[in-house]
């Protein structure tokens, strides 16, 4: 047995009747028990993979920009790096994600002071810029 109080007999019928009369009958919407179909939703179902692929391509391009900027400038603060690649114009969180992925792919190296450095090529943190490896 349930300890939840039961509705009085006929309560559902009273509620339905109240919903169909007075000002409530003009409430916008499809109403109880009906379904809604939107052909526009069907047309967008197949674009997720294309959108995902485009987002991955943009991320790859942003990682390339970060890598190139670090190779050109050497160790750089996060703020200067963001300014050098125009990271603010990429959108919310995009620069942060691209920088994080650059580090994960070992294309950028995070330094203790919050700066970043290239992992190979000129401007390496373990040697003078332009010094032979």
């Amino acid at each position: 047995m349930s300890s939840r109080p039961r509705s009085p007999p006929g309560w559902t019928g009273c509620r339905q009747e109240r919903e169909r009369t007075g000002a409530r009958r003009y409430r916008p919407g499809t109403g109880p028990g009906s379904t809604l179909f939107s052909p526009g939703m069907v047309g967008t179902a197949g674009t997720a993979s294309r959108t995902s692929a485009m987002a991955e391509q943009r991320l790859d391009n942003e990682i390339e920009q970060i890598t190139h900027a670090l190779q050109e400038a050497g160790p750089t603060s996060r703020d200067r790096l963001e300014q050098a690649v125009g990271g603010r114009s990429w959108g919310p969180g995009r620069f942060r994600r691209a920088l994080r992925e650059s580090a994960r792919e070992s294309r950028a190296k995070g330094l203790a002071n919050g700066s970043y450095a290239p992992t190979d090529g000129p401007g390496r943190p373990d040697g003078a810029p332009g010094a032979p490896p």
Side-chain angles (χ1 to χ4, degrees):
M1 285 254 176
S2 174
S3 62
R4 197 174 103 203
R6 296 182 156 242
S7 299
W11 177 256
T12 304
C14 291
R15 187 177 339 121
Q16 288 175 349
E17 183 63 31
R18 204 173 45 243
E19 294 292 321
R20 283 183 266 180
T21 60
R24 292 179 184 203
R25 68 182 173 165
Y26 297 115
R27 229 180 349 184
T30 58
S34 64
T35 60
L36 177 67
F37 173 75
S38 174
M41 296 298 286
V42 174
T44 60
T47 62
S49 62
R50 190 177 118 223
T51 304
S52 172
M54 289 171 49
E56 286 298 316
Q57 182 61 44
R58 280 194 308 267
L59 178 62
D60 289 342
N61 292 340
E62 293 161 359
I63 291 170
E64 280 297 319
Q65 289 179 32
I66 289 172
T67 303
H68 181 71
L70 285 172
Q71 288 173 346
E72 290 291 317
T76 308
S77 72
R78 184 190 183 282
D79 292 337
R80 287 186 187 238
L81 181 60
E82 183 178 26
Q83 187 177 20
V85 298
R88 287 185 181 252
S89 67
W90 293 353
R94 301 279 305 263
F95 176 76
R96 179 179 34 236
R97 180 172 183 220
L99 189 56
R100 184 176 59 236
E101 290 299 321
S102 295
R104 278 191 190 147
E105 293 177 7
S106 298
R107 299 178 71 181
K109 180 180 178 182
L111 303 177
N113 61 358
S115 295
Y116 288 84
T119 55
D120 56 13
R124 290 183 0 190
D126 56 340

